[in-house]
Each structure stands twice: as C-alpha cells, then as structure tokens.
Amino acid sequence: MNLIELNAIAKKMVAPGKGILAADESTGTIKKRFDKIGVENTEDNRRDYREMMFRTPVMKQHISGVILYDETIRQKARDGTTLVKLIQDADSIPGIKVDAGAKKLAGAPNETITEGLDGLRERYQEYHKLGARFAKWRGVYEIAEGNPSHDAIHANAHALARYAALAQENGIVPIVEPELLMDGAHTIEACEGVTEWILKEVFQELYYAGVKLEGIILKPNMIVPGMKCVQQNSVEEVAQRTVTVLKRCVPAAVPGIAFLSGGQSDLDATAHLDAMNKIGGLPWALTFSYGRALQAAPQAAWAGKVDNVAKAQAAFTHRARMNGLAALGKWDSAAEKNAS
Ligand code: 5MM
C-alpha cells in the first residue's frame, strides 16, 4: 500500500469547492429514476444520460470525482471515447461502486448486510486497470421497532472494514458509507444516538482491519429527523448536531467527509452542508457525495430528449455550483436564485 498516493487521491476528492457525483445507481435504481421522467431503461439511454453530465463544463470546477456502476465504467460515449476518459479529461477522478447491494441479514428481522466481498481483490485489480482510483461500499441501517440491532451494526461495520482494507491494498481509496436511512418517524435525537453508535463501530472495525485513515473518505448521513417525524429541525440545528457527532467519532487523520443526501430536498442538502462549513475550525474537509440532490433537477429537465440536453446541463451546473459554494460555506439563497 502506498499511503502517500492514497492520501493524495483522498485529498483531491475533497479539494476546496469540489465534491463527488454519485452516479452509481444500479440498473434497478436508475430504472426508478427513469420511470419518473418517462424514459425507457435501456443501456443506450443510461449511457446518453450519464454522458450528458460528464460532458458538462461544470465538472471541471466542482466535481472532484464520479462514482460509477460496473456497466458505466466499461461504457463508451457516442463518439467512442470511454466515459472514464470524459471524466479524466474534466480533471475528475473515476470511482466505482463495488458492493453487491444490501441483502437480508440472517437472524435479524428487517435488517440487511451489504454483500460483495467474494472475489473483491481481483475486481479491484480490474477496476484499477479501467481507471478507478476510489471505490464505494454502502452499509444500510434503519430505525424501526428496536432496530438497528447490535448484530446489524457490527456485521456491516466489519464488512465495510474488510472492503476498505482490500481497496487500500490495491491502490484504491475506499469511500466508507454507513447510511442510516431517513425513512420513518424517528426524532433528530434518535438519529444522533444511532449514528454515533454506527460510526463508533465503523472506526473500531477499520482499526482492527488495519485501514489507514489518511487514505479513506467517510460518506455518512447527516443528523436529521425521519421524513415522517412531526418535529422537523432548523438548518442550524442539523448542522450543529451533525458536526458534534462527527467530532465525537471521526479521527482528525481522515482527510474528508463527503455526505450523502439521503432523500433530503436539493435545497436542504445544500443548506445543511453550507451551515456546517460556516461553523468552521473543523479537522476534516466537509463536502458532498450526492446522488439525488445533484441529479433530480437535471433528470427532470432532460426527460430523455436530445432537445433538452442544454437545459439539463444548465440544471446540473446550477446544483454543482451551489454545492460547490456550500462546500466552502459560501452559499446563500441569493446565489440559489441566480441560476445562469
Ligand atoms: C446513486 O445511488 C446509490 C445507490 O445505488 P443502488 O441503490 O442502486 O445501489 C447510493 O449509494 C448513493 O451513492 C448514495 O446513497 C448517495 O446518494 P443520495 O441520493 O443519498 O445522495
């Protein structure tokens, strides 16, 4: 393992004013997104849609890396250029989702364990040849009826650690993504308590697995109430609680934290990130690794039509710029209104 190289990649992923585009939707997930905009889920449509984003000039200014799905890392643009090259030409880093998804965890009703460790060393070697310099693995947890259990928290932390150790062994920076879902009616206090527990376990397992923290990026949920909770909290409270939990759990050796949006509105995801960066004095860079909060607007504008490409690129540009500002703590609602 070359920790100096891993650290350089990780730092580039969280460079000031830049963040990560999570475009790693599996075929089933992108189908759900395409269904909403009336687009057929074909290989060509998936390619056209992603090519449209990767060719947007804003990539160079605000997108430090793109998380790809196995199909996408092998795809070519219409003119035959690989999509990986389009990303590299934008001075952005190609990354790859390597987990095989969350499956039922035996003995733990309604809980999941993320699978995909078998053969992962060989897959990393192939993905590295294809241009990937970072990877992503997502553990999923939900607050409901006594869950999450210690078993689910521990099993997912252990899998995340084994995934991360193998990534570093192969010259790839692991994005470690433990996601406590926003589904449900739980309070912000419940989210705070459970997230703290999850992160403590994750960092304990990373330590046992010999993962070097200078060569990882953490991708956590923010501390927010469940979507169905009657009491919704202010932007400042979400920011304050999220930073508090992170300070309790994430060692300063970690170069950066790139949040998932998790079903927040585009505006909330931007405002929360901005408010955290306005707090300042933090030991790690805080930025975005958004899927929905970067793509919902361009998807709606595109709707699968060639004539809408410019409109969709403008929508993507706007969200990337707004989140780029939020990563610096320089966003405000006036900037939000100045879509150009
Ligand atoms: C892009 O969505 C990823 C999930 O894909 P699958 O469900 O198909 O595996 C997801 O892991 C994503 O990278 C993160 O959750 C961030 O996305 P959001 O939409 O939460 O910002």
Side-chain angles (χ1 to χ4, degrees):
M1 181 206 304
N2 183 337
L3 189 55
I4 294 177
E5 260 173 43
L6 290 173
N7 181 248
I9 297 166
K11 281 184 173 157
K12 195 171 172 193
M13 290 164 70
V14 295
K18 290 190 173 191
I20 296 161
L21 166 64
D24 58 311
E25 299 86 355
S26 53
T27 309
T29 300
I30 197 74
K31 181 179 185 318
K32 287 187 206 151
R33 311 279 183 261
F34 279 5
D35 283 350
K36 278 196 194 149
I37 53 170
V39 173
E40 201 188 337
N41 189 23
T42 64
E43 196 173 330
D44 279 357
N45 283 342
R46 293 192 290 273
R47 187 270 319 272
D48 289 349
Y49 167 63
R50 287 168 172 149
E51 179 178 347
M52 179 267 292
M53 284 191 293
F54 304 162
R55 283 192 189 276
T56 307
V58 78
M59 289 273 303
K60 210 165 203 157
Q61 285 101 49
H62 296 298
I63 303 297
S64 57
V66 183
I67 315 174
L68 301 168
Y69 184 56
D70 181 79
E71 174 186 87
T72 326
I73 200 169
R74 304 169 193 282
Q75 267 178 327
K76 288 186 173 148
R78 277 185 181 233
D79 67 2
T81 316
T82 63
L83 294 185
V84 162
K85 175 127 192 342
L86 293 187
I87 294 166
Q88 290 165 336
D89 287 349
D91 196 24
S92 189
I93 310 171
I96 182 76
K97 185 231 294 290
V98 296
D99 69 60
K103 308 286 160 63
K104 278 187 183 178
L105 177 61
N110 304 318
E111 295 197 280
T112 61
I113 175 70
T114 300
E115 295 187 351
L117 290 169
D118 290 354
L120 187 52
R121 177 175 282 118
E122 292 71 27
R123 288 168 61 218
Y124 275 137
Q125 287 160 1
E126 192 201 0
Y127 287 139
H128 195 279
K129 282 191 195 132
L130 288 169
R133 291 295 177 271
F134 70 89
K136 192 202 90 173
W137 178 291
R138 173 172 166 257
V140 189
Y141 320 80
E142 193 171 352
I143 298 181
E145 292 163 21
N147 287 341
S149 64
H150 176 258
D151 185 24
I153 288 178
H154 180 70
N156 278 291
H158 184 73
L160 275 163
R162 286 187 59 198
Y163 139 83
L166 267 172
Q168 291 192 333
E169 179 193 281
N170 289 285
I172 289 184
V173 169
I175 293 186
V176 174
E177 181 181 2
E179 176 175 11
L180 177 62
L181 298 174
M182 283 175 72
D183 300 3
H186 57 269
T187 60
I188 196 167
E189 288 83 2
C191 177
E192 182 175 326
V194 174
T195 302
E196 184 172 343
W197 183 17
I198 291 169
L199 290 177
K200 290 277 182 205
E201 289 272 344
V202 166
F203 280 95
Q204 191 62 47
E205 290 295 316
L206 290 174
Y207 173 71
Y208 287 140
V211 174
K212 301 293 178 237
L213 298 185
E214 294 82 355
I216 74 160
I217 296 293
L218 178 71
K219 176 166 173 168
N221 52 279
M222 296 180 195
I223 306 301
V224 287
M227 285 178 184
K228 293 192 190 134
C229 181
V230 257
Q231 166 77 45
Q232 292 294 315
N233 305 78
S234 69
V235 169
E236 288 67 31
E237 183 169 2
V238 168
Q240 202 58 61
R241 284 183 186 265
T242 305
V243 164
T244 300
V245 168
L246 293 173
K247 279 185 178 168
R248 286 179 188 150
C249 304
V250 185
V254 173
I257 297 172
F259 293 98
L260 57 93
S261 58
Q264 298 179 47
S265 70
D266 294 359
L267 274 191
D268 281 353
T270 303
H272 289 150
L273 176 62
D274 178 67
M276 281 185 251
N277 278 306
K278 282 193 165 82
I279 293 171
L282 304 172
W284 351 259
L286 293 188
T287 189
F288 57 91
S289 174
Y290 295 161
R292 284 162 287 180
L294 271 175
Q295 297 186 66
Q299 276 164 12
W302 177 59
K305 299 197 175 64
V306 181
D307 289 352
N308 292 337
V309 164
K311 234 168 51 179
Q313 287 184 323
F316 177 52
T317 299
H318 185 59
R319 288 268 46 89
R321 273 193 192 143
M322 294 304 100
N323 288 308
L325 286 172
L328 297 169
K330 291 187 172 165
W331 172 87
D332 58 24
S333 49
E336 190 63 49
K337 283 180 198 130
N338 278 338
S340 53

